[in-house]
Amino acid sequence: MARFPSMDDCAVLHLSRLQLDDLNLDNLTDSKRQQIQQLHLTNNRLSFLPPSVCFLSNLEYLDISNNSLTVIPEDIMRLTNLKTFVAKNNFLDESSFPKEFEHLPVENLNLSGNRFDDIPMQFLKMTTLQSLSLGGNRLKNIPAEIENLTSLEMLYLGGNLISSIPPEVANLTSLRYLVLCDNRIQSIPPQLNKLHSLLSLSLHNNLLTFLPREILSLVHLQELSLRGNPLVVRFIKDMTYDPPSLLELAGRTIKSQNLPFSSSVYFDSCVRHIKFVDFCGKYRLPLMHYLCSPQCSSPCSSNPQSDAESEDENSVPPDRLQRVLLG
């Protein structure tokens, strides 16, 4: 058992990489305990949360990542000021937390790299949560109750076994970052167009073959990551084996030379309104071509090459630029 070192006025304590298997705070006075606001206990040999930690009444930040914890004791409820709880890369699952955990005022909860098969119901009642990270677990679904997290701004569920996204995710109106990469997702619910605050949507390495048109309503979206999906593989093949059409070459010349044009002469109305986004700095992706269902017969879907570069990204304000990160 390691003893806590003597300290002067110090609100942040770093006790990481010390091979600790326990922690003794008996040599601290109550006033010194009350000074501690952040505690870092990462990369030790802890198999349980040391009871003495739960007597740090003013603790706001606790990081116990990269240990061997299997359970979080009920005494953690003593930490009534806890705002950030990080316990990445342990052995925690949905049965590891006390039922009362939902009453803690936690705003940032990061439990990536554990053994969760389901999101615990306690977490789904924590209305103070602003950031929830459960990446690299064994989650197979996102429960509809996720909509209860009305303060959530960041939801990280990458690296799981999720196959679908419930439409209730669209009720997270404060959400700014949604990370669902490295799962088994086959489709995106059109209801996500209600996420008007969304800045970044990470969907790479899934099983997507198309995107709903409604995604164009996300006017504040700055990043849309799609690489490693079948729809991107299809697009790359098209770019590799299908040379530019005369219409595309003519369109590029008109655009680059800033020549006036009539939609009746060069473009139909559908092509004229397509917006383009960056594709690995080499190609331009006609996004509308992939924002349809497989049954779509719109002229937009007829030829991904004929629509290229109908709008210069320089004409799009930087704060509205939509980037598709495909590589």
Side-chain angles (χ1 to χ4, degrees):
M1 179 183 296
R3 295 188 66 84
F4 193 79
S6 60
M7 57 175 259
D8 297 319
D9 292 341
C10 186
V12 182
L13 295 178
H14 293 278
L15 297 174
S16 299
R17 301 182 184 277
L18 297 177
Q19 298 188 347
L20 300 178
D21 54 17
D22 198 357
L23 185 62
N24 189 336
L25 300 178
D26 292 344
N27 61 326
L28 288 183
T29 64
D30 288 341
S31 61
K32 287 188 175 182
R33 287 194 185 97
Q34 292 175 3
Q35 294 175 20
I36 303 174
Q37 296 179 355
Q38 294 189 27
L39 178 58
H40 299 258
L41 285 169
T42 65
N43 297 96
N44 282 297
R45 299 186 301 183
L46 298 171
S47 58
F48 58 91
L49 183 65
S52 55
V53 171
C54 299
F55 289 92
L56 303 176
S57 58
N58 290 321
L59 195 66
E60 298 180 1
Y61 182 103
L62 175 59
D63 189 348
I64 52 173
S65 300
N66 297 294
N67 281 284
S68 301
L69 277 69
T70 59
V71 65
I72 301 300
E74 292 187 5
D75 282 347
I76 197 173
M77 300 306 299
R78 295 176 179 269
L79 302 178
T80 56
N81 292 301
L82 191 64
K83 296 294 190 295
T84 298
F85 181 57
V86 185
K88 299 181 295 183
N89 302 323
N90 280 281
F91 302 111
L92 301 170
D93 59 31
E94 54 272 20
S95 65
S96 299
F97 289 77
K99 293 181 179 180
E100 298 80 10
F101 190 80
E102 64 191 72
H103 299 300
L104 284 176
V106 174
E107 298 176 354
N108 303 290
L109 181 60
N110 190 334
L111 298 167
S112 295
N114 279 282
R115 297 183 174 183
F116 290 92
D117 292 317
D118 298 292
I119 300 178
M121 289 305 299
Q122 301 98 306
F123 298 175
L124 299 171
K125 297 178 181 179
M126 301 177 72
T127 57
T128 58
L129 272 184
Q130 297 177 15
S131 174
L132 174 61
S133 298
L134 285 166
N137 279 281
R138 306 168 179 174
L139 302 178
K140 297 181 179 63
N141 60 74
I142 304 173
E145 291 81 359
I146 195 76
E147 67 180 355
N148 297 333
L149 305 181
T150 54
S151 299
L152 204 63
E153 297 182 7
M154 197 277 283
L155 178 60
Y156 190 107
L157 299 177
N160 281 285
L161 305 172
I162 298 168
S163 59
S164 63
I165 305 172
E168 287 80 5
V169 170
N171 295 327
L172 301 174
T173 55
S174 297
L175 202 63
R176 294 163 60 86
Y177 303 93
L178 178 56
V179 181
L180 297 169
C181 58
D182 299 289
N183 278 286
R184 301 175 180 178
I185 298 169
Q186 300 182 41
S187 64
I188 305 299
Q191 291 88 344
L192 291 193
N193 68 341
K194 295 193 296 183
L195 296 176
H196 299 303
S197 299
L198 198 65
L199 300 177
S200 178
L201 177 58
S202 295
L203 296 169
H204 52 271
N205 298 328
N206 276 285
L207 301 175
L208 297 172
T209 57
F210 68 95
L211 298 176
R213 282 179 177 267
E214 289 80 0
I215 205 169
L216 288 177
S217 300
L218 300 174
V219 295
H220 296 293
L221 191 66
Q222 297 176 6
E223 294 183 349
L224 173 59
S225 178
L226 294 172
R227 66 181 183 274
N229 280 282
L231 72 86
V232 176
V233 173
R234 187 175 78 246
F235 174 73
I236 292 174
K237 288 181 179 179
D238 290 344
M239 293 298 294
T240 302
Y241 299 111
D242 189 10
S245 65
L246 291 176
L247 178 62
E248 178 186 354
L249 293 174
R252 288 181 177 180
T253 301
I254 293 169
K255 196 67 179 180
S256 63
Q257 300 298 321
N258 198 26
L259 299 175
F261 66 90
S262 167
S263 62
S264 61
V265 176
Y266 295 107
F267 305 100
D268 62 31
S269 59
C270 182
V271 172
R272 187 160 52 94
H273 290 290
I274 294 177
K275 295 183 182 296
F276 293 88
V277 286
D278 188 58
F279 178 70
C280 303
K282 184 176 181 181
Y283 301 109
R284 294 202 177 247
L285 170 65
L287 185 58
M288 286 289 289
H289 178 69
Y290 290 101
L291 299 184
C292 306
S293 71
Q295 292 77 32
C296 179
S297 58
S298 165
C300 294
S301 303
S302 61
N303 188 344
Q305 286 298 103
S306 64
D307 306 334
E309 295 209 273
S310 69
E311 177 168 331
D312 188 352
E313 81 174 27
N314 292 328
S315 66
V316 182
D319 60 339
R320 292 287 301 279
L321 184 62
Q322 296 176 315
R323 293 182 177 176
V324 179
L325 309 179
L326 299 174

